[in-house]
Amino acid sequence: MGLDIAKIREQFPVLNQEVHGKPLVYFDNAATTQKPRSVLDALTNYYSKDNSNIHRGAHALADRATRYYEETREAIMHFINARESAEIIFTKGTTEGINLVASTFGRKFIGKGDEIIISALEHHSNIVPWHMLCEEKGAVLKVIPINEAGELIYEEFEKLLTPNTKLVSIVHASNALGSINPVKKIIDSAHAVGAKVLLDGAQSSSHLHIDVQDLDCDFFAFSAHKLYGPTGLGCLYGKREVFESMPPYQGGGEMIKEVTYEKTTYNEIPFKFEAGTPNIADVIAFKSALEFINELGKDAIKAHEDELLAYANELLLPIKGFVPIGTAKEKVSVISFNINAMHPYDVGMMLDANGFAVRTGHHCTQPLMKRLGIEGTVRASFSVYNSKSEIEKLAESVTRIARIKNK
Ligand code: PMP
């Protein structure tokens, strides 16, 4: 049985609106997903009933807030199948998770002449922290090339691995093209030379079943806001022994065991990496987002999104002037394209005028766009609340826009 999309849409108040006099079609889910009513209610409930600082006060509200906060950590543990909740650190998002690894693991274990491998598909947040580290340490950044379809070339990755490779940091699914990388093979090969592996799960976490034990990755970073949860919140998974080997990230309250004027001793994981008052309300509300996903079932969500992607390909590919960008065999529900030689921004403006929310530009992947020889793309990315009729409307609009230039 397929999902009842009309019923799912009722849970997302933001979808029920017009823009420029047209019903909103929200196809910018790779940038951020909309939030179901249960997440909005959880935020209001927390501030109306439970607001308190956590892990500190010995009073009823503080106890409740702490319990709810830690329940989300447990829910995330189940969501990605971590061994224990201590392996889950709350961050501001994928970006902060990667920066945390660069600043702690990187500063301690990566030195002059050591090598870090990324791919040609990376988001800036999985490039810039490594540039910063390499500059500081004299380490070397290597890049796995891609083919014309936007697929990472695995054989080239094997050639880049050396005994000096300390870290492989790879996007699990590309935000710009949707390509899914063969991460399991990559992790096994990286481990064979003694390197650790970080997966950027910003896009994969919402579309694919994630099992960090099966993947055997050392780190997995993702963002709550791409999973129907609040913005400015994310998680960094790390294996216990790896987290324990790393120095703390920021210093402050909560991350300490004892402080004297001479010295600080640090708390256990995960608290060692969570200095200061965290984003309590959003963490608590994120549990409702995970429940929303679990109730529908990741497999059912993926099946629906795959169907939308296949339907979009079926309707869009035959349109004269439609140029798909990224045609990997394994993809999440993202379709990047250009129309004739039109600037993606102009196409985006015309689609916006018709009620479509799509992304245009380089998608924080400037080196990838350069590799593909383009300035940017228009990106439509589908989520569980999108419907086939919305894709039909997109195909109609794209046909009209392509005709202007085909005349
Ligand atoms: N990596 C990828 C693949 C992404 O799509 C994004 C968000 N666009 C990020 C990293 C950064 O996520 P955030 O902005 O939530 O930190």
Side-chain angles (χ1 to χ4, degrees), residues 3-298:
L3 297 171
D4 185 344
I5 304 306
K7 213 154 184 196
I8 290 171
R9 289 180 73 86
E10 283 170 13
Q11 298 181 53
F12 289 83
V14 75
L15 295 175
N16 187 20
Q17 64 175 294
E18 295 195 337
V19 288
H20 310 303
K22 305 272 166 47
L24 167 68
V25 177
Y26 188 79
F27 279 165
D28 197 14
N29 296 288
T32 198
T33 52
Q34 299 301 345
K35 324 302 172 200
R37 174 84 64 196
S38 58
V39 170
L40 310 181
D41 289 348
L43 284 169
T44 314
N45 267 337
Y46 169 73
Y47 281 120
S48 332
K49 295 182 190 154
D50 307 316
N51 180 42
S52 188
N53 212 329
I54 55 166
H55 296 141
R56 296 170 198 205
H59 60 81
L61 268 63
D63 279 351
R64 271 206 311 268
T66 304
R67 183 153 43 84
Y68 297 153
Y69 183 89
E70 290 303 326
E71 277 175 11
T72 301
R73 207 191 299 272
E74 296 274 323
I76 295 166
M77 172 190 79
H78 292 299
F79 188 71
I80 62 170
N81 195 31
R83 280 166 215 85
E84 48 174 325
S85 60
E87 294 180 321
I88 309 292
I89 297 171
F90 288 114
T91 62
K92 278 194 304 189
T94 308
T95 305
E96 191 179 38
I98 299 171
N99 275 276
L100 189 158
V101 175
S103 301
T104 59
F105 176 89
R107 283 229 180 94
K108 181 161 173 189
F109 295 111
I110 298 175
K112 195 167 168 49
D114 285 338
E115 293 162 1
I116 301 165
I117 300 180
I118 59 171
S119 82
L121 290 162
E122 303 308 323
H123 187 279
H124 294 162
S125 63
N126 197 27
I127 304 175
V128 184
W130 309 120
H131 279 162
M132 290 159 70
L133 184 71
C134 287
E135 217 165 89
E136 185 183 318
K137 294 289 189 167
V140 179
L141 189 65
K142 293 171 150 185
V143 183
I144 312 167
I146 52 169
N147 62 22
E148 290 309 307
E151 293 165 320
L152 175 157
I153 306 171
Y154 178 76
E155 296 68 34
E156 295 296 323
F157 164 64
E158 289 212 311
K159 289 185 205 155
L160 294 179
L161 280 172
T162 77
N164 293 333
T165 311
K166 290 290 179 311
L167 183 74
V168 177
S169 191
I170 296 284
V171 71
H172 194 175
S174 155
N175 61 309
L177 308 182
S179 326
I180 300 172
N181 282 328
V183 290
K184 213 159 151 43
K185 279 203 301 192
I186 289 174
I187 292 165
D188 289 347
S189 303
H191 283 167
V193 301
K196 302 285 185 231
V197 181
L198 184 157
L199 292 185
D200 170 349
Q203 297 295 331
S204 62
S205 51
S206 56
H207 303 291
L208 308 177
H209 181 71
I210 306 296
D211 182 336
V212 290
Q213 290 190 62
D214 179 54
L215 288 168
D216 199 29
C217 54
D218 300 281
F219 303 104
F220 187 90
F222 63 104
S223 302
H225 70 97
K226 300 193 196 260
L227 279 162
Y228 315 102
T231 52
L233 173 69
C235 296
L236 176 69
Y237 157 83
K239 285 180 183 165
R240 173 180 273 279
E241 64 274 18
V242 182
F243 269 165
E244 283 182 339
S245 71
M246 288 157 45
Y249 179 42
Q250 295 179 326
E254 275 306 298
M255 51 75 74
I256 57 98
K257 201 169 257 165
E258 197 185 352
V259 183
T260 65
Y261 282 117
E262 290 72 37
K263 187 175 159 38
T264 301
T265 51
Y266 305 120
N267 207 337
E268 306 294 327
I269 64 164
F271 309 112
K272 178 169 109 179
F273 293 105
E274 291 181 3
T277 302
N279 191 349
I280 305 168
D282 289 331
V283 167
I284 290 174
F286 185 38
K287 180 156 172 268
S288 300
L290 295 173
E291 282 163 0
F292 167 79
I293 295 169
N294 291 338
E295 274 161 29
L296 295 177
K298 213 57 184 299

